Amino acid sequence: MRVVFTKGPGTSYGIAVHRETGAELAPRNGPGGHRYLPHDLVHFLVESEVGIGLGVYGRLAAGDNGMFWPADPAERAKAARRRKSNPVRPSARAQADMARSEQLAAIALPVWEVRHGHARELPAYVPAGEIPAEVDRIVSRFDEYADRWHALPVGGSLTLTW
């Protein structure tokens, strides 16, 4: 699966997913909010570095639409009907993987910001003595992409493979 992050103005960005399994997905806009590490890129790097198999990207690769919708309007309508008539509850493992992705993203990004002088201190919810061991590896992955993303012109893209 290929994931394309396209830089918009300010901190906005778009994301497109090209996968082998499941309906073709329509691109969507990301929540933005960061000049160096867009939210969805953070999750991609966290999940790929730690091996989270049923987070956002593992589920997309397996054919789940996640927070995306099918590009084909007929497929989109079918997916909406299925969700409405038979809401799928994620498995316990999928819920745990999503929670782990959120937890690590919420810790690793502020650690990266402090280490690179973009913040003075960690937020109160990140106790310095309780940072998971994986965070150093994740922050190293952030280092690989942060400056590349920041240097992109509006309309420029990064493509990552899952």
Side-chain angles (χ1 to χ4, degrees), residues 14-47:
I15 181 171
V17 175
H18 307 279
R19 61 191 183 164
E20 293 77 36
T21 302
E24 179 183 349
L25 299 175
R28 72 170 180 83
N29 291 323
H34 204 281
R35 297 177 304 146
Y36 287 86
L37 291 161
H39 181 77
D40 292 304
L41 177 59
V42 166
H43 278 283
F44 186 100
L45 297 173
V46 165
E47 293 173 15

Side-chain angles (χ1 to χ4, degrees), residues 40-52 100-106 108-109 137-138 141-142 162:
D40 292 304
L41 177 59
V42 166
H43 278 283
F44 186 100
L45 297 173
V46 165
E47 293 173 15
S48 65
E49 180 59 36
V50 179
I52 296 175
R100 185 76 172 140
S101 179
E102 291 293 343
Q103 176 201 34
L104 289 171
L109 184 58
R137 291 192 348 251
I138 294 166
R141 289 292 304 277
F142 289 177
W162 181 262

Side-chain angles (χ1 to χ4, degrees), residues 42-95:
V42 166
H43 278 283
F44 186 100
L45 297 173
V46 165
E47 293 173 15
S48 65
E49 180 59 36
V50 179
I52 296 175
L54 292 177
V56 174
Y57 294 96
R59 288 160 74 177
L60 284 172
D64 186 345
N65 293 344
M67 294 172 281
F68 289 78
W69 50 90
D72 177 353
E75 285 292 322
R76 190 176 315 140
K78 276 197 284 189
R81 282 192 301 276
R82 273 192 306 267
R83 258 193 316 273
K84 190 173 183 177
S85 66
N86 186 21
V88 176
R89 302 260 187 255
S91 68
R93 178 172 171 227
Q95 289 177 17

Side-chain angles (χ1 to χ4, degrees), residues 11 15 23 33 62 78 82 90 100 111-112 120 130 135:
T11 59
I15 181 171
K78 276 197 284 189
R82 273 192 306 267
R100 185 76 172 140
V111 168
W112 181 88
R120 290 180 187 220
E130 298 177 28
V135 169

Side-chain angles (χ1 to χ4, degrees), residues 94-145:
Q95 289 177 17
D97 278 3
M98 284 299 294
R100 185 76 172 140
S101 179
E102 291 293 343
Q103 176 201 34
L104 289 171
I107 294 170
L109 184 58
V111 168
W112 181 88
E113 290 173 328
V114 168
R115 289 183 185 174
H116 290 277
H118 299 292
R120 290 180 187 220
E121 59 188 35
L122 294 173
Y125 69 84
V126 181
E130 298 177 28
I131 295 174
E134 303 99 322
V135 169
D136 281 333
R137 291 192 348 251
I138 294 166
V139 168
S140 292
R141 289 292 304 277
F142 289 177
D143 288 340
E144 292 176 40
Y145 291 94

